[in-house]
Amino acid sequence: MMLLIKWLLLILCLAAICFYCYSIYAAIAFFTQTRTIDPAFLPQVTILKPICGVDRDAEDNLASCCQQDYPEYQIIFAVRDREDPAIAIIDKLIQQFPNVDIQLVVSDRIIGANLKVSNLANALTAAKYEILLIADSDIRVGKDYLQRIVQPLQDEKVGVVTCLYRSLAQGWVTSFEALGIATSFHPSVLVSNQLENIKFAFGSTIIIRKQALEAIGGFNAIADYLADDFQLGYLPAQVGYRVFLSNYIVDHILDESTLADVIQRQIRWLRCIWVSRPWGYLGLVFTYGTVTSLLLLLVTKGSIIGWTGLVITWVLRLIMAWVIGVRVFNDPVTKQYFWLIPFRDLIHFAIWCYGFFGKAITWRGQQLQLIQGGKLVLQENMD
């Protein structure tokens, strides 16, 4: 039995080494591709911004969408509560940018368990254009954002465009979370995109043709899903549209969080993956090389094979994190907390193991239950 465990751990170490090497290749291949920009391709765009409360640097984040070097676009801010403090910021932006078509929609209409999707559905009622851009309220962009992000739509087969993000954090807790995004999450995405074009999207930016949204049943089709951004890429892909990963990197402005908040957030997303894509969740074990190599060292009682596996795995893990987090994404958190990566992997592995047990999550103060496919159900409805 012990021999079997040793072989299993050795195989997991080798798999992780292959993953780290391929991640580096995938990142370099992706970001060195030549992407031409046609200055004449400037389709009209409606930006949908779901708002709930005031994020860190909220005014700067929202203002960045109002400062685009782009001829014709519309911004719709959607708020559920008339007492939401973000309304004052939006009113200020309307005054500050009179030449930009900005609208505020305030509506508490609910179409499902995911209130963000209800916000988007309410905003859609005021949309003028056929190309929709959805971006979370904590995203900050450059003035060339719109011009660059729409370019893949020149191909009529592309129904959805999404992009990666650089998380800017304050405090060690949120920095710890951002470290995982830059050095674990993004490498996985780049590997997936290199093996076959991704079939999902991220809340950092989702451009979707209105006809693609209608083809999947509109926002009602995703109103009960936790990972609404994932579904806005996955469902169009199922009906024949291509999902395109842009090489534009936006800034994700993370609010300060407590350690409990970060752990709850990680549990929430990991359990969502477990119920929606169980094989993908199980496959994450091949990315925890720092953990499996340490276990190999322990079960082989400090053997040469154990030490060799540990050194090679950890060195390649750190090289991969440096290439992608620092050289590609220019991520300040990775630069500052690079030395914490193995410790971060150990903590995340423990949360990954915990994610197998139970389907309950806490989200925005609500006790919810995840059911098959990643749908949300109120806990009280499960009793």
Side-chain angles (χ1 to χ4, degrees), residues 27-28 31 166 249 319-331 334-335:
I28 294 172
F31 284 100
R166 175 176 41 239
I249 300 173
I319 290 174
M320 182 267 281
W322 183 264
V323 169
I324 296 178
V326 177
R327 301 298 296 175
V328 173
F329 281 85
N330 193 28
D331 180 53
T334 305
K335 293 178 184 178

Side-chain angles (χ1 to χ4, degrees), residues 216-249:
I216 65 171
F219 285 121
N220 287 285
I222 63 168
D224 288 319
Y225 284 93
L226 172 62
D228 53 274
D229 50 356
F230 174 88
Q231 296 295 334
L232 279 175
Y234 176 75
L235 293 178
Q238 300 310 298
V239 296
Y241 287 98
R242 183 184 171 197
V243 181
F244 191 95
L245 182 63
S246 170
N247 63 355
Y248 193 95
I249 300 173

Side-chain angles (χ1 to χ4, degrees), residues 117-287:
V117 177
S118 293
N119 241 359
L120 289 170
N122 295 334
L124 185 62
T125 60
K128 297 178 180 178
Y129 306 129
E130 293 300 308
I131 294 176
L132 307 172
L133 190 156
I134 301 163
D136 290 340
S137 58
D138 54 5
I139 296 299
R140 188 181 302 167
V141 299
K143 293 183 178 181
D144 61 341
Y145 169 66
L146 261 184
Q147 184 181 28
R148 287 181 55 187
I149 207 74
V150 300
Q151 293 300 313
L153 294 177
Q154 293 181 69
D155 182 352
E156 291 294 329
K157 295 179 181 178
V158 174
V160 178
V161 181
T162 192
C163 69
L164 299 172
Y165 51 94
R166 175 176 41 239
S167 292
L168 305 182
Q170 287 184 337
W172 73 270
V173 174
T174 47
S175 294
F176 203 63
E177 182 178 21
L179 184 65
I181 293 171
T183 66
S184 291
F185 175 70
H186 287 335
S188 297
V189 172
L190 291 168
V191 165
S192 177
N193 190 64
Q194 185 67 30
L195 291 173
E196 61 171 349
N197 291 331
I198 62 169
K199 294 179 174 62
F200 47 87
F202 311 110
S204 54
T205 289
I206 302 171
I207 289 186
I208 185 168
R209 298 181 191 273
K210 190 178 285 187
Q211 65 188 44
L213 181 63
E214 291 169 353
I216 65 171
F219 285 121
N220 287 285
I222 63 168
D224 288 319
Y225 284 93
L226 172 62
D228 53 274
D229 50 356
F230 174 88
Q231 296 295 334
L232 279 175
Y234 176 75
L235 293 178
Q238 300 310 298
V239 296
Y241 287 98
R242 183 184 171 197
V243 181
F244 191 95
L245 182 63
S246 170
N247 63 355
Y248 193 95
I249 300 173
V250 300
D251 287 334
H252 174 217
I253 313 301
L254 274 174
D255 268 327
E256 287 196 50
S257 301
T258 65
L259 183 59
D261 288 338
V262 170
I263 291 174
Q264 283 291 340
R265 189 153 53 236
Q266 294 300 312
I267 291 172
R268 182 168 71 240
W269 288 113
L270 284 170
R271 283 184 171 166
C272 183
I273 297 172
W274 173 229
V275 299
S276 341
R277 294 179 293 141
W279 287 110
Y281 191 83
L282 291 170
L284 289 175
V285 72
F286 297 114
T287 68

Side-chain angles (χ1 to χ4, degrees), residues 34 47 51 72 89 128 141 156 180 182 209 230 276 308 368:
T34 302
I47 300 175
I51 307 291
E72 195 165 358
I89 295 175
K128 297 178 180 178
V141 299
E156 291 294 329
R209 298 181 191 273
F230 174 88
S276 341
T308 302
L368 302 163

